[in-house]
Amino acid sequence: MTRKQTQQQLEKNLENLVEIINLEAIQQLPKATEHFISDLHGEFEAFDHILRNCSGVISLKVKDLFDGILSEEQQQELCFYIYYPEDLLANLEKTNQEWYKLLDELVQLTRFVSTKYTRSKVRKALPKYFAYILEELLYKYDETENKEQYYNSIYVTIVDLNLANDFAIVLANLIQRFVVDHLHVLGDIYDRGPDPDKIMDRLMEVPSLDIQLGNHDLIWIGAFSGSIPCLCNVLRITLRYGHTALMEKYGIDLARLAKYGERYYDDNKAFRPRGDNQELTEEEILDITRMHQAISIMQFKVEGETIKRRPEFKMEDRLLFSKLSENRQTLIIDGKEYPLSNTCFQKVYEEDPYELTLGEELVLRDLLHQFQTSEKLQRHIAFLVNEGTLYQTYNGNLLFHGCIPCDQNGEFLEITLEGQQYSGRALMDYFANCIHKAYDNPNTHDDFATDVVWYLWCGEASNLFGKKTMKTFERYFSDDKELHHEAKNPYYELRNQEAFCIKLLNEFGLSDEGYIINGHTPVKTLKGELPIKANGKMLVIDGGLAKPYQKETGIAGYTLVDNSHETYLVAHHAFTTKEDAIANYRDILPTKEVVTKRSRRAQVLHTDIGSSLVQQANRLRYASGFGDRPSV
């Protein structure tokens, strides 16, 4: 070996040794904070506020650092400067001294919330144009008179150059970023609320996150991937809540559907838009009502065709057009007649009730084309498919949106698909594969994978649906509450049992020490339901962010925070509007309920990232002659 090669070898070995030092040091840092949120349902402003205040974490950090220094009023004001810097700091009239004080408080807080990270990680988060100045201020160790004027000069010059607003906004955004290291979104970004597109844009800016897909996210993916039943469901739900503006934002023109609805349908109280639609004129409401009927009938037709070509779905009982009486005024089920009201079956033909008319087919082709060519929707669906999973194991815990379908005895529900039986984790993996297959082949509309995506919306063995039957038809056309009932999967009773939850954790390769985090079902706190179940093994964090749920839940959503000291649930009070919150410093003051209080502070070593760092360090130790061969 030449001298040059020997030198290179020594340098390489030294490089490995230094990296071992780095990897093993990082393992000793405190575990970073995780933030969990579920069932956003298009309520952008409430979601955005929770994200900005990090479920109250920022207010707690401000109190920790400035208690006894700032009054409660001053602390609250500082919090809102951090939550909404672009709104409150722009053109803020303060004296120079007040600006120096505010900037110094923001720097102190940024330093305080970034101490659990390496300098390298903090440096990567700093905007390039302020990076040097920020590093000097954040790592301010010499506070003697040697550097006192140096640090003061930075603040003075920032204010003198009219950069105070910009610098304060950067600091506020850094605080938000450092307070929470990783965001978990447990599904249902879409449905009910008016602004899921804004939520998607916001999520695409989050530096570190994962998404567990919800049933409402799934039908948007299905619609984009070519599932006509999913497309109909998306449009029906959008029209049900009067959110035609959402379609406009995605560049979807409903003119052809509106024209078809006007031609064949009249006013119908069962199909009038729900919720607060004060901005809609009576003419617009009538248009929506007609379109709503038209797309609903199309949905029942295309779902019927899917059920007929997929006998393995075992959904023949949902072929309800075949159960209509001759005069179309009653539904005959198991020999019993149920009267119907608000019917609109004029385009359902007796000889083949599931056959689309030419007009319906043209409308659906037009809508599908628009969905698949919408650039904004393409971005959002690509993000959902790439970042979204049906379940996630993270730091020893199991995250998913809905349920693991099972029978009364707690055995996982089996279904035979493409000649093979699936249940539990294997079934979820199979479903996930179908989602990607359908997305990768958007021009095929009736292939098995695409039909499975629709089955995930309403099938008995779907981990996203969690019920035996979806009663959409009955809820529109019958007043009989017996017909409306949707029996929940036994999972929702069994999840109160610790032994069953441990069985679920083990199914996904996790130890008994972890816990399960669910969304999907609002926690009815008004009826005494608790979000912590099974002796702390099951945490349900959908408390009802969507306004329609709040009459049942009494709150405006649960979120979960997991930091190095503790894991706790946060119950949020109802959010009004962003403008009201800013004008009156009206925060979502969280009610904190501790799930786990750690006797010893958790470190990076105890996380999934820590396990990866241990493996990397062990491989380098072995390669450098300082350790045994690592196990595979």
Side-chain angles (χ1 to χ4, degrees), residues 155-214:
Y155 292 135
V156 169
T157 309
I158 286 171
V159 174
D160 183 51
L161 296 176
N162 295 321
L163 289 172
N165 284 330
D166 298 314
F167 197 65
I169 289 171
V170 165
L171 289 165
N173 290 331
L174 285 172
I175 291 166
Q176 290 183 37
R177 178 165 181 175
F178 291 142
V179 162
V180 168
D181 184 62
H182 189 83
L183 177 69
H184 304 279
V185 181
L186 275 80
D188 276 0
I189 296 162
Y190 286 86
D191 177 45
R192 293 185 180 270
D195 299 311
D197 59 312
K198 290 183 180 179
I199 295 177
M200 289 298 299
D201 286 337
R202 184 81 164 86
L203 289 175
M204 291 171 77
E205 296 172 352
V206 174
S208 180
L209 90 165
D210 56 66
I211 299 171
Q212 288 73 63
L213 297 171

Side-chain angles (χ1 to χ4, degrees), residues 4 22 32 38 41 60 79 90 98 144 150 166 190 214 278 281 327 351 354 396 494-495 505 516 544 555 575 590 601:
K4 184 176 180 181
N22 177 48
S38 180
H41 286 301
L60 294 174
C79 283
E98 288 171 332
T144 65
Y150 170 76
D166 298 314
Y190 286 86
Q278 294 180 356
T281 66
N327 65 2
E351 57 272 19
Y354 303 102
L494 291 164
R495 70 179 179 177
L505 289 167
I516 300 162
I555 59 172
F575 186 74
R601 195 175 191 187

